[in-house]
Each structure stands twice: as C-alpha cells, then as structure tokens.
C-alpha cells in the first residue's frame, strides 16, 4: 500500500492519522503541491483527478480522503473510525462531512491559487477569506458538539476527529482565535496527545523541512 502525500495537505493529513490509528504498514510517496508535481504526466496517469492524497492498493487507486477513510475502516475494522449504532454512525458521518466538505474546499490550495493568480487577490485579503470560512464553519461545529464527550462523538477518536484536527491546524496557522471555540480546542488538544495524531502532524513529516 502506498500513500501519495504532502505534509501540508489537510486531506493527506487525515489519511495519515487513520493509517496510524489502525497501525497499517504503508509506503509514503511525497508529491510536492507547491511545485505542481500532482499535475505531472506520470501522476495523472495513476490518478487522473490530480488530487492528494491518493492511496494505491492491490485493488487500484482511491483519491478522495473520505472515501479512503471509509475503505480503510471496512477493510481494517480494528479500531473502528465509525463505531456505534446506525444513528451514531450517521452522526459521525454528518459531522465529518460538515468539516471536510463544507469548511475545507473553499480553502484548499487550488482555490487559494486561483484567488492569487487569476483574481489578483493579495495575501492579506486571501488570509481574511480563509479565516472567514473557517470561523463560520467552526461556529456551527461548536454547536454540534457535546461538551460531555471526550472527542467529537463519544470517548474515542472517530472519523469526525480525524477530519477536525487538520482543519484546526490550518485555523491556527491563519490566526483564528481558538478561544472562541473551547470544545473544538479541547478536542484538538486531546487528540494531539495521541501518538497516531501527533506522528501524522505536518511538522513531523519527512518533507516538512
């Protein structure tokens, strides 16, 4: 199994966490987004979407992080990422999609490059754009969380926490005031005490320097 990753890709960060939580042995292949290596002919032949992460398995290639995470959970059920009853599973998916599919896409590298290169938006305005969407999303997520839970839902990390942690990492990078979201901040701190999350963090990746 090979994971095509880049240290600052939020979606790749999610998959690294999941692989660590499930203790799945894998090979890491670095694809530098800032050098547009994801648009190279060889990579596009393997992954026509040109997205990171991409997970290459014996069955083929998956390139959407939530699809990868669900496949990992079904294939490697130990340490489940989507545990509980049908209702609890639906809640976990709902929260995960709200984080990964609502907050993140308007802040990914392709959007930010378009703002800079095509629309001529300066860095200050681009950072304001980034913070705006994170803050709106976090306000909603904060209301969805139960303060009695240790993690997003329940007493163990789930798919929702895997989606949340990279987005908080980005929020901190762009100076979002996390004091406004105490439940999110507490979950982020608790997750990062776990080796599976800490080892997957961008600053701990081989291409981070």
């Amino acid at each position: 199994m090979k994971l095509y990753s880049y240290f600052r890709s939020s979606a790749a960060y999610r998959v690294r966490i999941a692989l660590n939580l499930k203790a799945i042995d894998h090979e890491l292949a670095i694809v530098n987004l800032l050098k547009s290596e994801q648009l190279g002919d060889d990579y596009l032949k393997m992954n026509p979407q040109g997205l990171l992460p991409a997970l290459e398995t014996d069955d083929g290639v998956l390139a959407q992080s939530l699809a990868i995470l669900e496949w990992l959970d079904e294939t490697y059920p130990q340490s489940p990422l989507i545990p509980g009853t049908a209702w609890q599973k639906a809640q976990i998916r709902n929260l995960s999609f709200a984080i990964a599919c609502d907050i993140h896409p308007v802040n990914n590298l392709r959007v930010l490059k378009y703002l800079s290169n095509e629309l001529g938006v300066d860095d200050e305005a681009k950072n304001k754009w980034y913070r705006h969407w994170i803050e709106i999303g976090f306000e909603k997520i904060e209301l969805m969380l139960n303060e009695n839970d240790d993690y997003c839902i329940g007493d163990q990390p789930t798919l929702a926490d895997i989606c949340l942690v990279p987005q908080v990492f980005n929020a901190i990078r762009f100076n979002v005031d996390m004091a406004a979201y105490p439940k999110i901040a507490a979950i982020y701190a608790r997750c990062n005490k776990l080796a599976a999350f800490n080892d997957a963090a961008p600053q701990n990746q081989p291409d981070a320097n």
Side-chain angles (χ1 to χ4, degrees):
M1 188 182 301
K2 180 185 290 188
L3 175 65
Y4 294 85
S5 181
Y6 185 62
F7 78 104
R8 203 175 280 169
S9 162
S10 299
Y13 189 176
R14 297 172 201 148
V15 176
R16 293 195 301 264
I17 294 169
L19 290 167
N20 288 345
L21 282 171
K22 290 181 174 290
I24 298 172
D25 187 35
H26 61 282
E27 178 185 352
L28 187 65
I30 306 303
V31 180
N32 192 317
L33 293 175
L34 297 181
K35 295 180 179 179
S36 298
E37 291 179 355
Q38 76 278 15
L39 302 178
D41 290 342
D42 289 342
Y43 188 75
L44 289 175
K45 286 178 184 177
M46 185 273 297
N47 173 16
Q49 289 178 292
L51 298 176
L52 288 181
L55 187 67
E56 189 174 19
T57 76
D58 291 340
D59 296 320
V61 176
L62 285 173
Q64 294 285 352
S65 65
L66 291 182
I68 292 171
L69 296 176
E70 294 235 17
W71 178 83
L72 287 172
D73 210 32
E74 292 183 11
T75 308
Y76 302 89
Q78 188 174 355
S79 301
L81 306 180
I82 313 175
T85 64
W87 176 249
Q88 290 166 332
K89 292 174 188 287
Q91 286 182 305
I92 290 169
R93 287 187 173 98
N94 178 53
L95 194 56
S96 302
F97 295 159
I99 298 164
C101 300
D102 186 15
I103 303 171
H104 179 68
V106 293
N107 297 312
N108 68 26
L109 184 61
R110 289 187 294 179
V111 172
L112 297 178
K113 279 188 173 181
Y114 184 79
L115 289 173
S116 297
N117 299 339
E118 303 299 327
L119 302 182
V121 173
D122 63 25
D123 285 344
E124 182 179 354
K126 188 170 65 174
N127 292 347
K128 184 177 180 180
W129 160 280
Y130 210 134
R131 285 193 300 272
H132 170 76
W133 293 108
I134 292 175
E135 288 167 354
I136 286 178
F138 276 12
E139 288 173 7
K140 298 173 183 177
I141 300 301
E142 184 78 7
L143 293 172
M144 295 169 70
L145 297 173
N146 182 346
E147 61 186 358
N148 296 321
D149 288 341
D150 291 332
Y151 295 95
C152 284
I153 297 177
D155 60 0
Q156 67 183 69
T158 67
L159 180 65
D161 302 277
I162 291 172
C163 291
L164 183 64
V165 165
Q167 198 56 62
V168 178
F169 177 85
N170 284 336
I172 292 170
R173 284 179 57 224
F174 282 84
N175 300 313
V176 171
D177 180 11
M178 291 307 301
Y181 317 104
K183 287 182 281 189
I184 292 176
I187 290 168
Y188 181 71
R190 191 171 289 115
C191 285
N192 281 322
K193 290 180 181 178
L194 303 176
F197 283 81
N198 187 57
D199 291 348
Q203 68 272 18
N204 295 326
Q205 301 315 298
D207 55 330
N209 297 316

